[in-house]
Amino acid sequence: MVSLRSLMLSTPLILFTAQTYGYDLVKDYSGITFFDEWTFYGGYDNLTLGDVVWLDVDNAYGQGLAYINSVGNAILKVDNEHSVALNQKRGSVRITTNRAYDVGSVWITDMVHIPYGCSVWPAFWTKGPVWPDNGEIDILEGINLMDHNQMALHTRPGCTHSTPPNQMGISEELDCSKPSGCVVAETAPNSFREGFAAAGGGVFATQFDVAG
């Protein structure tokens, strides 16, 4: 079943929908109003089992972990200024769009910087109304000391990935119902970590369609 997608990310985002001869701009998240139409998670997520607690909007703003910088970039970050006692959780930020976007949408995000390093897990992904029944699309994900971006689809049993001849990344797991999802690893040296930072960031585009 194809479903509407809610988006979770940490950077400017532009949404388009397909028309007969191209795309129409339907939403632009950027600049001073970037955070206006997002929901801050505001709690611990026992599905990811990370060592962070996702702050609500007031605490994220108050602790300086979500803000618009002097050049208009939306900043989302983890607390990297305080020591955290054993078994306590470090403050971080996770946000979800208030709107959902249907099949035919194209999502474009322009990221200036992605955090990386030991214990860091940045991600930009989408999910349907009911997880995991309506699936998840991981567009950007880098875990711990990975040196590349990995993309993945998460579904119920019965969905697998077949590598197309024009795929630029490397297929890893092919069963989309496995915990990792079906995974394609990027091979470009600037898709994550130091290479991405040295390039001054980059743009990720995703077409949400019934096939392809």
Side-chain angles (χ1 to χ4, degrees):
M1 179 177 120
V2 174
S3 64
L4 297 172
R5 302 276 108 181
S6 294
L7 298 153
M8 284 138 288
L9 81 164
S10 58
T11 53
L13 176 69
I14 301 175
L15 290 306
F16 297 87
T17 56
Q19 301 295 323
T20 305
Y21 301 106
Y23 292 90
D24 290 333
L25 177 65
V26 296
K27 186 62 182 174
D28 178 2
Y29 299 90
S30 63
I32 195 67
T33 61
F34 177 87
F35 291 109
D36 287 358
E37 297 183 52
W38 299 80
T39 295
F40 285 67
Y41 192 83
Y44 179 69
D45 184 355
N46 62 4
L47 291 176
T48 58
L49 299 177
D51 229 11
V52 298
V53 60
W54 308 111
L55 302 182
D56 60 27
V57 59
D58 292 335
N59 281 296
Y61 288 159
Q63 296 180 32
L65 302 187
Y67 60 94
I68 305 299
N69 69 9
S70 61
V71 294
N73 295 327
I75 307 298
L76 287 158
K77 58 179 292 188
V78 66
D79 176 10
N80 62 350
E81 297 182 0
H82 299 94
S83 296
V84 178
L86 182 65
N87 295 325
Q88 298 298 307
K89 306 300 180 186
R90 186 174 294 277
S92 190
V93 180
R94 170 177 162 182
I95 58 175
T96 305
T97 53
N98 295 336
R99 289 181 61 175
Y101 299 92
D102 208 345
V103 171
S105 300
V106 171
W107 313 315
I108 300 175
T109 180
D110 184 355
M111 302 185 182
V112 176
H113 179 78
I114 302 170
Y116 60 89
C118 185
S119 80
V120 178
W121 188 354
F124 166 38
W125 79 104
T126 78
K127 66 178 182 67
V130 179
W131 189 96
D133 294 6
N134 300 132
E136 174 182 328
I137 304 171
D138 297 329
I139 299 164
L140 165 75
E141 186 173 30
I143 304 171
N144 206 19
L145 296 177
M146 287 174 54
D147 61 0
H148 60 277
N149 176 41
Q150 69 175 25
M151 299 160 284
L153 296 177
H154 296 265
T155 70
R156 292 179 295 183
C159 181
T160 58
H161 172 64
S162 299
T163 304
N166 61 343
Q167 177 177 296
M168 299 179 67
I170 298 173
S171 294
E172 294 183 342
E173 176 60 59
L174 301 179
D175 185 343
C176 301
S177 68
K178 292 293 181 68
S180 66
C182 47
V183 176
V184 174
E186 288 205 55
T187 57
N190 60 353
S191 67
F192 191 53
R193 281 185 63 111
E194 293 92 343
F196 189 86
V203 175
F204 295 87
T206 305
Q207 181 177 353
F208 180 33
D209 212 335
V210 295

